[in-house]
Amino acid sequence: MAEVLTTPQTLGLVMLAMSACLFLAWVRTRSGLRKQRAQNNILIEELKALDLERRNLARRNAVLSQEKLSVARDHVRSLAQLGTEFGGTLKTIASSFEQLDHAKADTTQRDLAKYGRAAAQNMMRGLARTLDSARIELGLIDVKRDRHSARELASDWEALLAERVMQSGKRLSYAVHVTDNTPREIFLDARLVGQIVSNLVDNAIRYTDRGGIEILLKPSNRMPDGLDIRLIDSGSGISDATTTSLFEKAGVTESADPEIERGHGLSVSHDLAGLLDADLRLERSGPSGVELVLELPDAFTVKLPSSQDPTKSDVFTAA
């Protein structure tokens, strides 16, 4: 006859069985943890190896980038040297055409001399803009702000306008204005700002056949101690389709529409303005002409007296 287990004995066997199950589960869990830890260690080592390879690759790429940048800079320097030599040759050609223009020659010869001189001068300016673009992309242009007389800069730009209008052969009026509330002394990089103004003047003359061109220097309404240099022309204006890409680098195009290509100078000027932390923008365009604004920050060192009348201005004009 089978022995009947009592309740305490049954509970003891159950507890023993549960303990055995828990022990087996612990052993399996510990074994699984060991395996998992080993797998994790393997993964960690693989990640370390990948990170080391990534850093080595980054170092190699940095070295290659520096080498490429060094080579590119050498190329730009070589181009600059070549540009200087080429520019000297173009100046000689332009000077020869100028002498021919003033010599005793018939009308046809003088006209040819004027066209030749203008072509040589345009080539020199185009070469300078191309080199500027390359220098900007490679970070080879340094900004050097210095103290300058606003009126002297205006006088220099008046002379620039006179020269470029004469070279164009167009009958255009021109003027440079400095408002009375513009401080006598301003801080800026005269070379870079002058290059921007030169490019804007060339572009304005190119698209202006009648009327005139004006440059206005005045304090900015948007930037504290900022200077506005406004170039206003009475040219053909800019279409809405062109305004969105006005300062973009022009690509190769087969279009005969002159508005598709408004000159490489605007793109270079926009990049130069970026180096100066300045804002170059299209303020207005219409049938009556175009107004472009170069807004330079921190150009003034002296606060303006509130008694000055901003409606009055020093004016440099020429018919």
Side-chain angles (χ1 to χ4, degrees):
M1 185 173 180
E3 184 179 353
V4 180
L5 296 176
T6 63
T7 300
Q9 292 174 326
T10 304
L11 290 175
L13 290 173
V14 170
M15 292 295 293
L16 181 62
M18 290 179 63
S19 298
C21 290
L22 289 173
F23 177 76
L24 290 173
W26 176 78
V27 171
R28 289 175 179 173
T29 301
R30 183 164 182 171
S31 176
L33 287 173
R34 285 177 179 173
K35 291 180 180 178
Q36 186 64 45
R37 191 177 293 115
Q39 291 176 352
N40 288 343
N41 289 335
I42 292 173
L43 288 174
I44 289 172
E45 292 301 321
E46 289 178 350
L47 288 173
K48 287 181 178 179
L50 287 173
D51 185 60
L52 180 61
E53 184 178 353
R54 178 190 62 79
R55 283 183 289 175
N56 290 335
L57 183 61
R59 290 192 191 99
R60 289 196 295 271
N61 286 338
V63 171
L64 288 174
S65 296
Q66 288 297 325
E67 291 176 352
K68 290 180 179 179
L69 182 60
S70 178
V71 171
R73 285 178 173 173
D74 288 341
H75 286 167
V76 171
R77 291 189 182 98
S78 298
L79 285 173
Q81 181 64 32
L82 180 62
T84 301
E85 297 173 1
F86 188 51
T89 303
L90 288 174
K91 285 181 180 178
T92 302
I93 295 172
S95 177
S96 299
F97 279 123
E98 185 174 7
Q99 291 176 5
L100 179 60
D101 185 26
H102 294 300
K104 293 181 179 179
D106 59 34
T107 304
T108 302
Q109 290 174 328
R110 287 187 175 182
D111 288 342
L112 289 174
K114 288 179 180 178
Y115 290 136
R117 183 178 59 185
Q121 289 164 340
N122 285 335
M123 289 179 68
M124 283 190 289
R125 291 195 288 270
L127 178 63
R129 286 193 290 265
T130 300
L131 291 173
D132 278 344
S133 181
R135 292 190 185 102
I136 291 169
E137 291 183 0
L138 293 173
L140 297 178
I141 293 183
D142 296 325
V143 177
K144 297 178 181 178
R145 298 176 73 247
D146 203 355
R147 188 193 304 267
H148 296 277
S149 165
R151 273 68 183 175
E152 288 180 4
L153 287 176
S155 181
D156 291 342
W157 294 341
E158 179 215 8
L160 171 73
L161 268 171
E163 178 187 7
R164 299 291 167 81
V165 169
M166 181 190 69
Q167 291 172 0
S168 71
K170 297 180 179 181
R171 294 183 177 275
L172 300 174
S173 63
Y174 52 88
V176 181
H177 301 269
V178 184
T179 60
D180 277 351
N181 63 335
T182 300
R184 293 178 179 272
E185 293 182 336
I186 55 180
F187 273 87
L188 48 75
D189 187 318
R191 183 180 65 88
L192 296 184
V193 173
Q195 184 61 51
I196 295 173
V197 171
S198 175
N199 293 341
L200 298 183
V201 165
D202 284 343
N203 194 76
I205 292 175
R206 181 180 180 184
Y207 292 97
T208 304
D209 293 324
R210 62 176 62 89
I213 298 169
E214 174 190 358
I215 297 176
L216 174 65
L217 282 75
K218 63 181 290 293
S220 168
N221 294 326
R222 304 195 315 170
M223 292 183 180
D225 291 334
L227 173 70
D228 275 4
I229 301 174
R230 295 175 176 264
L231 191 138
I232 307 162
D233 66 51
S234 58
S236 57
I238 303 172
S239 68
D240 293 339
T242 307
T243 55
T244 56
S245 58
L246 186 62
F247 299 109
E248 293 179 2
K249 289 181 173 60
V252 178
T253 176
E254 297 178 356
S255 173
D257 185 355
E259 272 214 347
I260 299 298
E261 173 61 58
R262 292 194 68 89
H264 185 48
L266 288 183
S267 170
V268 174
S269 297
H270 190 265
D271 292 340
L272 289 174
L275 291 178
L276 298 168
D277 294 326
D279 180 28
L280 177 61
R281 66 182 184 274
L282 175 65
E283 187 82 350
R284 174 184 58 82
S285 176
S288 60
V290 172
E291 181 175 353
L292 292 168
V293 181
L294 175 64
E295 194 170 27
L296 295 164
D298 304 321
F300 306 145
T301 57
V302 181
K303 294 296 183 182
L304 304 178
S306 58
S307 59
Q308 285 185 328
D309 183 3
T311 61
K312 297 179 181 179
S313 64
D314 291 336
V315 182
F316 300 82
T317 62

